[in-house]
Amino acid sequence: EGQLVQSGGGLVQSGGSLRLSCAASGFSVTNNYMTWIRQTPEKGLEWVSLLDSGGSAYYADSVTGRFTISRDNSKNTVFLHMDSLRADDTAVYFCAREHNSAAFDYWGQGTLVTVSS
Amino acid sequence: DIQMTQSPSTLSASVGDRITITCRASQSIGSRLAWFQQKPGKAPKVMIYKTSYLESGVPSRFSGSGSGTEFTLTISSLQPDDFASYYCQQYNSYPRTFGQGTMVEIK
């Protein structure tokens, strides 16, 4: 049974940076597609970024150039480094595993990121 | 991007009712659709994948159908634990996109 445990997040000023972590157990992040998804009441669930098993990274247009997804294989952890944060980045951020290019089967517990202007 | 449109946004129902939620994709996604249940303060939980396949542990009162651009989630006999929000999501192409959600509330 897989599990994802998130850390990081919090309150940051507009223009600032933050790093989110997502530690996996029960499976290897290296061999899986790992994703970040965020949620707000206004926009609902929004796909943010993907790191595939080959190490290629993909981003939503809204975060391209500002967010970076990466992983530490030795820690079995995926990260989302967020720069130049804006008020509209305020959301609950979830990490999730996309299993076999299909549904998101494992999710982290979510972490709130608040960007103050 | 593929737009996913759910209806209704809110559904009021009673325990024992049969309910159906509809999800429409802006272009064909084959059968590459999942349904999630979410309760307040929790992460979404996958209920159905590939349009009609139940995730392990999901009660058989849940079912999914459809193909192409039109999909439905049906709960045959609503139980107290089923009052929650439901989201559809396509995984035919990137970026993955979600419907705006349907809140199932107690009538």
Side-chain angles (χ1 to χ4, degrees), chain B residues 1-27:
Chain B
D1 299 2
I2 297 176
Q3 306 303 316
M4 306 299 292
T5 304
Q6 277 182 244
S7 60
S9 297
T10 306
L11 194 160
S12 298
S14 302
V15 172
D17 284 353
R18 177 185 180 92
I19 67 164
T20 298
I21 299 169
T22 298
C23 178
R24 290 186 174 88
S26 60
Q27 63 190 74

Side-chain angles (χ1 to χ4, degrees), chain B residues 5-68:
Chain B
T5 304
Q6 277 182 244
S7 60
S9 297
T10 306
L11 194 160
S12 298
S14 302
V15 172
D17 284 353
R18 177 185 180 92
I19 67 164
T20 298
I21 299 169
T22 298
C23 178
R24 290 186 174 88
S26 60
Q27 63 190 74
S28 178
I29 58 171
S31 61
R32 300 178 73 78
L33 182 102
W35 288 96
F36 294 86
Q37 178 193 70
Q38 188 180 30
K39 296 183 178 179
K42 299 294 187 181
K45 172 188 171 185
V46 62
M47 305 297 279
I48 289 173
Y49 63 96
K50 203 176 179 182
T51 296
S52 61
Y53 289 69
L54 256 60
E55 181 74 356
S56 176
V58 173
S60 58
R61 62 181 178 272
F62 288 86
S63 64
S65 65
S67 69

Side-chain angles (χ1 to χ4, degrees), chain A residues 63-84:
Chain A
V63 307
T64 296
R66 300 187 299 120
F67 289 14
T68 303
I69 190 170
S70 63
R71 67 189 180 206
D72 183 330
N73 297 338
S74 67
K75 295 181 179 178
N76 207 28
T77 298
V78 177
F79 304 97
L80 185 68
H81 190 90
M82 304 181 291
D83 290 324
S84 303

